[in-house]
């Protein structure tokens, strides 16, 4: 209830509870749209640390004292109160729009913090920040005008990146050929039609494992999931027979089907690893353009530049410099970027 709010680059102190203010801003913006078709993205910072007690009228946990001692020793109900407060505000937002003409997508951004996670994901090291289901499996709901035969569930393996293609198709557009390869439209699911993605695998990755000291990646299809943590042995789970990831299949002998699945996921993961993961891009104080790569498992990466965003071509940056940033990232640097706009790509020759 006391935070810095930034609007168009202008900062001011805000005392309205942040979850409520998110919705107030959203409703005010919707009211300015008149008859325009519109798209609105609302990002809540709840529920999140620091845990606290929201205003009482938004939740049913009035009895909580709200003291720092109680929060530290009795964390879970404060987390639940924050979730209820968010639900309360989302209800206000949903009630403010015509759901006969509006489609609403709700998505969690990551697993629950280990301090407040509940069964069946309350196993040490398997919450937020991990590659287990407790860290990567999140709520995902679609409701409103575009949904056919509502009230359904669908157990297809989908990814948050699929939202991009989904929203564009619902709006009458399509993903670009370059830059849209990793997003698959979920409109067939929304329309209660057969969903047959070209590649049924999804990829998850993190560089904050074990307090940020280790990186890892996970890849899964409709049945099997492979987890690979740097410096550790692979883990393979049958997510249909073992959705809680209790039995690592690689600890014993694999059946023919399991071996085929492992080989397939291993190959697909290798393909993904050979695609550089761009961690950051920025101009430094010397006027150089820098690209920081968080994942690089082979040598030969180079920085290419073009003035055409849609072009797959590009000229290798002359005089580019390389820097190994503490062993955690590779930095490619253009020491003479053009004064006009330019587009960069990191790739192998």
């Amino acid at each position: 209830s006391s935070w810095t709010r930034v609007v168009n680059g202008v900062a001011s102190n805000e005392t309205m509870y942040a979850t409520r203010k998110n919705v107030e801003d959203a409703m005010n913006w919707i009211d300015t749209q008149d008859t325009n078709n519109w798209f609105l993205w609302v990002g809540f910072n709840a529920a999140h640390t620091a845990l606290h007690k929201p205003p009482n009228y938004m939740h049913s946990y009035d009895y909580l004292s709200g003291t720092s001692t109680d929060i530290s020793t009795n964390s879970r109900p404060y987390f639940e109160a924050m979730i209820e407060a968010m639900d309360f505000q989302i209800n206000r937002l949903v009630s403010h729009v015509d759901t006969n003409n509006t489609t609403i997508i709700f998505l969690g951004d990551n697993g629950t913090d280990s301090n407040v996670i509940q069964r069946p994901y309350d196993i040490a090291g398997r919450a937020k920040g991990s590659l287990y289901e407790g860290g990567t499996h999140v709520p995902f709901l679609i409701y409103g005008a575009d949904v056919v035969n509502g009230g359904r569930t669908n157990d297809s393996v989908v990814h948050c990146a699929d939202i991009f293609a989904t929203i564009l198709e619902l709006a009458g557009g399509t993903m670009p050929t370059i830059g849209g390869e990793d997003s698959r439209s979920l409109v067939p699911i929304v329309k209660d039609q057969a969903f047959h993605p070209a590649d049924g695998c999804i990829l998850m990755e993190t560089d904050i494992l074990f307090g940020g000291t280790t990186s890892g990646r996970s890849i899964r299809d409709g049945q099997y999931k492979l987890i690979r943590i740097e410096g550790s042995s692979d883990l393979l789970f049958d997510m249909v027979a073992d959705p809680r990831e209790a039995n690592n299949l690689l600890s014993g002998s694999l059946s023919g089907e399991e071996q085929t699945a492992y080989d397939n996921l291993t190959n697909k993961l290798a393909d993904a690893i050979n695609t550089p993961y761009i961690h950051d891009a920025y101009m430094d104080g010397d006027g150089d353009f820098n690209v920081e790569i968080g994942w690089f498992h082979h040598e030969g990466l180079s920085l290419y530049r073009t003035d055409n965003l849609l072009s797959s071509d590009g000229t290798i940056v002359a005089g580019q410099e390389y820097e190994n940033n503490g062993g955690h990232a590779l930095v490619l640097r253009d020491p003479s970027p053009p004064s006009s706009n330019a587009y960069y790509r990191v790739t192998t020759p």
Side-chain angles (χ1 to χ4, degrees):
S1 297
S2 179
W3 49 284
T4 301
R5 179 169 180 254
V6 180
V7 179
N8 296 328
V10 179
S12 62
N13 186 64
E14 177 62 58
T15 58
M16 182 181 291
Y17 184 59
T19 304
R20 176 186 171 188
K21 188 61 179 176
N22 292 153
V23 168
E24 297 280 341
D25 285 344
M27 293 192 301
N28 289 338
W29 182 84
I30 290 171
D31 289 343
T32 67
Q33 300 310 303
D34 194 23
T35 59
N36 295 328
N37 291 325
W38 50 266
F39 168 79
L40 172 67
W41 178 84
V42 183
F44 293 96
N45 57 2
H48 199 283
T49 54
L51 300 182
H52 57 271
K53 181 182 180 182
N56 282 342
Y57 73 92
M58 299 185 195
H59 60 85
S60 59
Y61 292 80
D62 298 7
Y63 66 88
L64 294 175
S65 67
T67 65
S68 57
T69 300
D70 191 43
I71 292 173
S72 63
T73 59
N74 191 33
S75 299
R76 180 68 197 189
Y78 287 93
F79 182 79
E80 293 176 357
M82 295 165 67
I83 292 291
E84 271 197 23
M86 182 180 65
D87 287 346
F88 178 93
Q89 293 299 332
I90 289 176
N91 180 63
R92 292 183 62 215
L93 180 57
V94 172
S95 300
H96 196 71
V97 300
D98 178 7
T99 54
N100 292 315
N101 196 41
T102 308
T103 296
I104 298 166
I105 299 174
F106 177 88
L107 178 76
D109 67 339
N110 48 242
T112 302
D113 188 272
S114 58
N115 292 324
V116 292
I117 199 168
Q118 289 184 311
R119 296 179 65 187
Y121 297 129
D122 59 339
I123 302 173
R126 294 196 175 193
K128 176 182 177 180
S130 81
L131 291 167
Y132 292 93
E133 292 296 278
T136 62
H137 201 158
V138 299
F140 184 17
L141 312 171
I142 302 180
Y143 169 78
D146 289 297
V147 177
V148 174
N149 299 327
R152 297 177 284 114
T153 59
N154 188 293
D155 59 3
S156 299
V157 177
V158 300
H159 195 281
C160 59
D162 296 332
I163 289 180
F164 298 117
T166 303
I167 291 173
L168 278 176
E169 183 172 348
L170 290 176
T174 57
M175 289 294 288
T177 303
I178 298 175
E181 301 92 338
D182 294 328
S183 188
R184 309 163 303 173
S185 173
L186 305 180
V187 168
I189 297 177
V190 176
K191 300 296 187 183
D192 200 14
Q193 301 168 351
F195 176 62
H196 299 296
D199 186 344
C201 293
I202 62 170
L203 176 71
M204 296 148 283
E205 59 189 358
T206 179
D207 58 2
I208 61 171
L209 293 172
F210 311 119
T213 60
T214 305
S215 299
R217 282 185 168 186
S218 173
I219 189 169
R220 67 160 296 181
D221 56 23
Q223 182 166 358
Y224 293 97
K225 177 178 177 181
L226 170 64
I227 295 178
R228 177 166 294 167
I229 298 173
E230 297 296 311
S232 301
S233 300
D234 285 354
L235 303 168
L236 180 68
F237 300 101
D238 183 335
M239 302 306 297
V240 174
D242 179 29
R244 308 309 179 204
E245 301 165 297
N247 177 32
N248 175 21
L249 297 175
L250 295 177
S251 62
S253 299
L254 299 179
S255 68
E257 176 186 312
E258 291 166 350
Q259 185 66 56
T260 298
Y262 180 53
D263 292 342
N264 180 54
L265 292 177
T266 297
N267 291 335
K268 289 184 180 297
L269 184 58
D271 290 340
I273 287 175
N274 286 337
T275 300
Y277 174 69
I278 306 301
H279 180 69
D280 199 6
Y282 54 90
M283 299 290 292
D284 62 26
D286 297 325
D288 300 338
F289 178 75
N290 298 264
V291 178
E292 186 174 301
I293 306 166
W295 284 92
F296 58 101
H297 287 251
H298 57 80
E299 298 179 356
L301 295 178
S302 297
L303 195 61
Y304 288 74
R305 189 175 70 204
T306 180
D307 59 1
N308 182 2
L309 177 62
L310 298 181
S311 172
S312 60
D313 299 323
T315 303
I316 192 168
V317 171
Q320 63 181 281
E321 302 169 356
Y322 301 81
E323 177 184 347
N324 189 333
N325 188 2
H328 299 292
L330 175 71
V331 178
L332 301 180
R333 183 176 297 115
D334 183 354
S336 302
S339 57
S340 59
N341 291 338
Y343 305 97
Y344 290 86
R345 166 172 287 185
V346 176
T347 186
T348 56

